[in-house]
Amino acid sequence: MTNGLLRKVYSLPSEPLAVEFRDVSYLASGRPILNHLSFQVPAGQTLILLGRSGSGKTTALRLINGLLMPSSGQVLVGGRPVSEWDLIDLRRKTGYVIQESGLFPHFTVERNVGLVPSLLKWAAPEQGARVRELLDQIGLPHAEFGRRRPGELSGGQRQRVGVARALAARPGLMLLDEPFGALDPVTRLELQRQLLDLRERELITSVFVTHDVREALKLGTVIGLLNRGELEFFGSPAEFQESEGDEARRFLEVLK
Amino acid sequence: MIPHGMLEDLGELSLEHLEMVFIAMLAAAAIAIPGAILLSRKPRISRWGLGFANILQTVPSLALFGFLIPIPFLGVGKATAVVALTLYALLPILRNTLVGITGVDAAVRESAVAMGMTPGQILWQVELPLGAKAILAGVRIATVTTIGTATIAAAIGAGGLGVFIFRGIAEFDTVQILAGAIPAALMALLADELLGWVERRVA
Ligand SMILES: Nc1ncnc2c1ncn2[C@@H]1O[C@H](COP(=O)(O)OP(=O)(O)OP(=O)(O)O)[C@@H](O)[C@H]1O
Ligand SMILES: [Mg+2]
């Protein structure tokens, strides 16, 4: 009995986790990559990090789940500095979709998606149900795709499995690094919708990296624009569209 | 003509040969695989580790056997031979294990860390399975080489198929030389096939 109760507790959605940067700088081999970033993403919001290639978007994401530690300043998740979190715990509560999908080539799709639930020791039936549910949601039905290896999927299918894997343990925070890069516009739209639905259903904080303005305006509740490691703009999508900043205007050019 | 008693000797010497190789391979794998895992965590020391194993392999095998004889508790015989063969087998296993583990795709490694896997989980569930092919190839190469090198063990009285070869050389007896060389070569080929099969099964 007790066992059953404990099990249930695991699969409850985690509390959404707020993210805050306090004067964060990051240097790589002495070169500044991020310069004095300060911003707040309240729990349940979706921050879109916009910026050109090399502007520091991925670096900023990696600071949030402790893959990198800031050279100065503080990153807070759920109000607690990342340096004070048990990193294993933080990462299991944080879904992460990396640019290249990073699926385990020796695991089936099923095992890839079920990875974090299995690390968290969810009961097998519950794991199985969650995996099925997610695979259906991303349009890769379990019966057809569950037993395949990532090598037997297309690039876009791999990306979708990457998203499902990040969502599996109902994280309170999602970090997505250009998750829809390799998708056709139709599937891309579909996944964007699903992400919006998800935000309504399960309260979740997201930091979403993209260089696509349209995607940013559609998905963001807040937008941050990085330009060579500086946060040139931070505010609502509406404010962004009115922004007079040089880089912001260059991005908005695209819409015209 | 096969001289009287040679067949009985052949069986016994082959077994002796196999035994030496087997023990040496177990010991080498037991040292080199964990060693390579440690080295993979410390890139700076890893060059030293590989360098050391490299130097070991450049010592001529007969000399290595000789060097070990004066060491207490070893002396002339099997123990010395096994130690020397073990030292020889270290490098290929060490190098291949290191390549296997450090060769894991950076994106896969990053996502393993980012999913909240512990270092132990990453080792057992990601690095070792993905490196298995390379590690097994190292064991196969080391085994084949060791079977050949083990013929020299007879020079320090450790027995094995080398006994025929050394006796044949001393007595100018080609049949005896072949009686040692052919089974050793067959043994090496067989080991290569068998371990190659295991390697393919793992892939
Ligand atoms: N380990 C490192 N050492 C030195 N420089 C680095 C390192 N990692 C990244 N950089 C540099 O930091 C800058 C920001 O990199 P980052 O990966 O954050 O960019 P990005 O905005 O994600 O780009 P993209 O859209 O191309 O993925 C780049 O100029 C990159 O060359
Ligand atoms: Mg990037």
Side-chain angles (χ1 to χ4, degrees):
Chain A
M1 279 320 267
T2 359
N3 231 341
L5 270 175
L6 283 176
R7 232 189 273 138
K8 273 275 164 269
V9 173
Y10 275 122
S11 59
L12 286 175
S14 320
E15 286 289 299
L17 296 165
V19 174
E20 183 179 351
F21 277 48
R22 278 190 196 157
D23 197 27
V24 171
S25 295
Y26 182 78
L27 307 168
S29 30
R31 226 162 46 80
I33 307 292
L34 294 176
N35 260 325
H36 301 286
L37 303 192
S38 292
F39 60 82
Q40 288 182 36
V41 189
Q45 300 272 314
T46 301
L47 166 67
I48 302 282
L49 272 183
L50 202 56
R52 296 193 212 186
S53 180
S55 57
K57 305 181 298 291
T58 300
T59 307
L61 272 195
R62 286 185 177 143
L63 288 167
I64 299 172
N65 62 356
L67 292 178
L68 299 174
M69 288 297 176
S71 308
S72 66
Q74 249 183 354
V75 177
L76 294 92
V77 175
R80 197 148 37 118
V82 170
S83 53
E84 286 171 20
W85 273 85
D86 168 7
L87 285 181
I88 300 288
D89 182 36
L90 171 64
R91 289 169 184 158
R92 288 179 184 178
K93 290 185 170 129
T94 305
Y96 186 45
V97 186
I98 69 175
Q99 243 169 332
E100 308 86 358
S101 98
L103 296 176
F104 294 174
H106 58 306
F107 278 18
T108 59
V109 164
E110 195 174 42
R111 266 191 88 191
N112 266 293
V113 174
L115 180 69
V116 183
S118 82
L119 294 176
L120 292 170
K121 304 205 161 53
W122 284 19
E126 210 181 338
Q127 262 182 56
R130 180 67 176 153
V131 168
R132 263 161 233 268
E133 175 189 35
L134 282 165
L135 287 179
D136 282 345
Q137 274 178 28
I138 58 165
L140 301 175
H142 179 268
E144 192 182 343
F145 293 94
R147 295 280 148 77
R148 293 206 203 169
R149 302 274 168 105
E152 297 160 334
L153 301 176
S154 74
Q157 290 170 338
R158 276 199 288 275
Q159 278 194 325
R160 282 188 270 167
V161 175
V163 174
R165 177 175 67 173
L167 283 169
R170 304 181 197 280
L173 173 63
M174 281 282 276
L175 308 175
L176 304 108
D177 199 347
E178 287 178 50
F180 305 150
L183 295 178
D184 61 276
V186 181
T187 312
R188 196 177 172 122
L189 199 68
E190 215 171 271
L191 278 181
Q192 289 172 348
R193 261 197 214 112
Q194 281 172 16
L195 217 65
L196 287 172
D197 282 354
L198 182 87
R199 198 163 72 203
E200 310 243 300
R201 248 181 312 141
E202 315 181 8
L203 207 56
I204 189 169
T205 314
S206 313
V207 181
F208 188 111
V209 164
T210 184
H211 40 229
D212 179 342
V213 202
R214 271 173 238 279
E215 194 163 68
L217 292 172
K218 181 179 291 167
L219 296 179
T221 59
V222 251
I223 291 181
L225 176 64
L226 277 173
N227 187 10
R228 298 172 187 225
E230 313 266 353
L231 192 62
E232 188 192 286
F233 171 89
F234 189 86
S236 72
E239 286 166 346
F240 181 68
Q241 279 178 294
E242 303 302 318
S243 172
E244 294 292 323
D246 290 341
E247 186 75 351
R249 289 172 70 117
R250 274 184 221 114
F251 268 90
L252 289 164
E253 265 313 284
V254 183
L255 293 176
K256 288 181 183 148
Chain B
M1 260 321 292
I2 295 171
H4 179 72
M6 192 183 249
L7 278 179
E8 286 84 352
D9 287 352
L10 181 64
E12 194 176 316
L13 292 176
S14 296
L15 273 182
E16 218 169 41
H17 201 88
L18 265 181
E19 186 191 15
M20 271 191 292
V21 171
F22 188 72
I23 296 173
M25 290 313 302
L26 279 186
I31 297 167
I33 296 176
I37 292 168
L38 287 179
L39 290 184
S40 74
R41 305 294 189 257
K42 310 258 178 240
R44 248 176 266 157
I45 311 176
S46 118
R47 298 188 45 196
W48 290 88
L50 275 183
F52 176 70
N54 238 324
I55 290 170
L56 278 179
Q57 259 212 343
T58 57
V59 179
S61 38
L62 193 53
L64 185 58
F65 283 104
F67 285 143
L68 292 173
I69 293 177
I71 294 177
F73 307 114
L74 288 178
V76 169
K78 274 215 180 54
T80 304
V82 168
V83 170
L85 292 174
T86 302
L87 291 177
Y88 257 114
L90 288 179
L91 181 66
I93 304 180
L94 198 69
R95 192 164 41 202
N96 274 43
T97 306
L98 205 55
V99 166
I101 287 182
T102 54
V104 172
D105 180 46
V108 170
R109 189 184 297 280
E110 181 180 348
S111 73
V113 176
M115 297 295 123
M117 295 179 93
T118 62
Q121 287 166 335
I122 294 174
L123 176 68
W124 288 102
Q125 295 182 39
V126 180
E127 292 175 319
L128 288 178
L130 288 175
K133 228 172 126 67
I135 298 171
L136 286 170
V139 171
R140 178 173 53 83
I141 294 161
T143 307
V144 172
T145 319
T146 304
I147 291 171
T149 313
T151 52
I152 297 170
I156 55 163
L161 288 166
V163 170
F164 276 145
I165 299 176
F166 280 102
R167 210 190 283 153
I169 292 170
E171 297 170 7
F172 302 105
D173 180 355
T174 315
V175 173
Q176 279 213 62
I177 296 178
L178 289 177
I182 292 173
L186 284 178
M187 210 180 271
L189 281 175
L190 212 70
D192 194 34
E193 275 304 310
L194 193 77
L195 293 171
W197 177 80
V198 175
E199 222 173 290
R200 284 190 299 276
R201 285 290 307 256
V202 163

